[in-house]
Amino acid sequence: MEGETSWVSHCPDYVVPAMVEFDSFSELNDEENREASSVPVDLILPDDLLERILAYLPIASIFRASCVCKRWYEIVSSRRFLWNFSQVLSQKPWYFMFTSSEEPVGYAYDPSLRKWYSIDLPCIQTSNWFIASSCGLVCIMDNDSRSELYVCNPITKCSKNLQEPPGLKFSDYSALAICASMKTFCYSVAIVKSKQVPGNFYQWDLSIHIYDSGTMKWLTPLTEVLTGWRGGDESVICDGVLYFLIYATGGGGLESRHGLITYNLSSRSSHCSLIKTFIPVPCSLTCGRLMNLKEKLVMVGGIGKPDRPDIIKGIGIWVLKGTEWQEISRMPHKYFQGFGEFDDVFASSGTDDLIYIQSYGAPALLVFDVNQKQWRWSQKCPVTKRFPLQLFTGFCFEPRLEMSP
């Protein structure tokens, strides 16, 4: 299929090594000495220098390099290469787009090479599972019992099954977040569970559960009853703080339907009041999504019309400064129109300097570069919409080789 690239295509049967011509110090003109002046570059470079060079290649090119020869394969498979790779600046985050609502199949987009790759995700069974990512690791949780929990590396396919999280097994709402460290290679997983108090629509039990990869144990540092608000399915960990969105349940005449709650993971206090950390969102939003962009909290959301908040008139991006939201950008109208039939439901995901936005109803993918303040369409995804109710969604992750659960 046009535009599609498989990992297999990065494993050619044979690739001729690059050749470098060296000027001879003598003025010999015989053919034999001229041939001797052509030397394969990989025979000249020592292993440590070749490792450093290869570590700067895009992920897909590293896979391809491993198929050049036995020496290169051993180099990119070594622990020392993984260490060199970890010292290189993070590669641009990829975006995995699910192309089926029943099976976890799809394509991953590489913005550096502007290519789509057909890859298989480990562990996940359907595309409606909860998904969170950080520093090359992806955490997934089933959407039924919410007791199946995995952490994996989508590139290396390494995975780990975590023990069942504590608390209510069948909560009404759950939000999943993960935070990994590229220095210690440890990670934390946070789940915010919310369940309606029996017989009381306005009160909701909310609990926070944290998994530490170092101790391999779960903790439940805080539970609280919220009145007029409930938890949802959106959370993120940023600079040691857990952020999650809460939603108004009515009865209080509240102007906004959304709010932000924070919880400090460093202190893990069991005596703080979550509702006292409440931060209002900047406007009436739909599809609010939280993202960690270089330890800054960023939110993407559909801006509702004043008279009909369920219908969006545009999409905005904000960064949290203290307790105030500062608008970074608003999607230009030509891109907003480019999604075609764009209702109030869309997906967005981001990390590092990139934010991806797509409509659930089409495979079109829009990329916003926060650093350059630039909007652009991705390369066309190698899949087309086959029937009217076909839905598309996805998530972004950093392609890393050295991170393992």
Side-chain angles (χ1 to χ4, degrees):
M1 190 177 293
E2 184 180 356
E4 173 186 347
T5 304
S6 170
W7 287 117
V8 179
S9 69
H10 289 281
C11 300
D13 293 332
Y14 179 73
V15 179
V16 179
M19 304 294 287
V20 179
E21 296 290 335
F22 290 87
D23 293 330
S24 174
F25 286 104
S26 64
E27 296 296 331
L28 299 177
N29 294 320
D30 59 283
E31 191 69 19
E32 184 176 357
N33 283 323
R34 286 191 178 186
E35 292 180 359
S37 66
S38 297
V39 183
V41 67
D42 66 324
L43 296 181
I44 299 172
L45 297 176
D47 283 359
D48 58 344
L49 184 55
L50 186 56
E51 286 174 2
R52 290 179 180 272
I53 294 174
L54 294 178
Y56 279 89
L57 292 176
I59 288 283
S61 300
I62 291 176
F63 275 81
R64 185 173 182 177
S66 69
C67 304
V68 170
C69 61
K70 181 180 179 181
R71 181 192 178 202
W72 285 27
Y73 173 80
E74 292 176 346
I75 285 177
V76 300
S77 303
S78 67
R79 290 183 177 273
R80 191 168 67 176
F81 176 78
L82 293 181
W83 184 88
N84 280 321
F85 183 83
S86 68
Q87 306 306 304
V88 177
L89 292 176
S90 297
Q91 307 220 3
K92 289 186 177 181
W94 289 12
Y95 187 85
F96 184 90
M97 183 184 295
F98 291 103
T99 56
S100 171
S101 56
E102 298 178 356
E103 300 179 358
V105 295
Y107 299 93
Y109 179 67
D110 177 358
S112 298
L113 300 180
R114 292 182 60 79
K115 288 185 177 181
W116 289 89
Y117 302 108
S118 176
I119 66 174
D120 297 322
L121 295 177
C123 307
I124 191 170
Q125 296 178 16
T126 62
S127 60
N128 70 341
W129 281 29
F130 295 90
I131 300 176
S133 69
S134 175
C135 297
L137 294 182
V138 174
C139 184
I140 54 180
M141 181 175 68
D142 76 295
N143 197 25
D144 296 326
S145 66
R146 301 175 188 179
S147 60
E148 287 189 64
L149 200 65
Y150 302 90
V151 176
C152 69
N153 183 323
I155 300 297
T156 65
K157 302 296 189 291
C158 295
S159 63
K160 180 178 181 179
N161 182 202
L162 303 186
Q163 59 182 282
E164 182 177 342
L168 298 168
K169 189 169 185 177
F170 297 99
S171 56
D172 293 325
Y173 297 93
S174 295
L176 177 68
I178 182 174
C179 178
S181 170
M182 295 178 60
K183 294 182 178 179
T184 64
F185 299 101
C186 294
Y187 58 89
S188 298
V189 175
I191 301 177
V192 181
K193 295 185 178 183
S194 183
K195 187 173 181 62
Q196 183 182 350
V197 174
N200 191 328
F201 180 75
Y202 299 115
Q203 289 192 322
W204 291 73
D205 286 317
L206 188 142
S207 57
I208 297 175
H209 312 275
I210 302 170
Y211 176 84
D212 187 283
S213 66
T215 62
M216 294 187 293
K217 292 182 179 180
W218 286 94
L219 294 175
T220 305
L222 186 65
T223 59
E224 187 171 324
V225 177
L226 300 183
T227 301
W229 297 91
R230 64 163 178 81
D233 59 2
E234 188 62 27
S235 66
V236 72
I237 299 173
C238 184
D239 198 22
V241 177
L242 172 65
Y243 297 90
F244 55 96
L245 290 178
I246 58 175
Y247 305 83
T249 59
L254 299 169
E255 296 181 0
S256 177
R257 300 182 302 166
H258 302 73
L260 182 72
I261 292 292
T262 70
Y263 178 72
N264 193 319
L265 294 178
S266 300
S267 62
R268 297 187 182 181
S269 172
S270 59
H271 303 292
C272 63
S273 171
L274 291 175
I275 201 63
K276 289 184 177 180
T277 68
F278 180 88
I279 299 174
V281 296
C283 61
S284 178
L285 293 179
T286 61
C287 294
R289 298 290 182 265
L290 303 176
M291 306 165 194
N292 180 344
L293 271 61
K294 293 186 174 178
E295 302 306 325
K296 294 181 180 179
L297 180 68
V298 172
M299 181 173 64
V300 177
I303 303 172
K305 292 184 176 181
D307 54 336
R308 298 190 62 186
D310 289 330
I311 299 179
I312 61 175
K313 61 179 181 179
I315 295 178
I317 303 175
W318 299 266
V319 62
L320 186 66
K321 300 281 190 179
T323 58
E324 300 292 331
W325 293 101
Q326 176 183 325
E327 186 171 316
I328 299 176
S329 182
R330 191 168 295 199
M331 183 185 294
H333 190 63
K334 65 176 181 178
Y335 292 110
F336 187 74
Q337 287 182 316
F339 280 104
E341 296 180 3
F342 203 166
D343 53 18
D344 63 334
V345 182
F346 65 93
S348 59
S349 181
T351 190
D352 197 35
D353 285 324
L354 296 185
I355 295 174
Y356 294 94
I357 301 175
Q358 71 164 121
S359 168
Y360 281 162
L365 181 64
L366 187 61
V367 187
F368 177 67
D369 189 310
V370 177
N371 253 356
Q372 300 179 7
K373 300 292 190 294
Q374 182 183 53
W375 296 85
R376 67 184 300 181
W377 292 106
S378 73
Q379 196 74 10
K380 186 177 180 181
C381 182
V383 67
T384 55
K385 190 168 184 176
R386 299 189 301 273
F387 50 91
L389 296 181
Q390 184 177 3
L391 299 179
F392 302 88
T393 185
F395 67 95
C396 79
F397 67 94
E398 292 181 51
R400 306 296 305 181
L401 293 174
E402 76 282 13
M403 295 299 290
S404 175

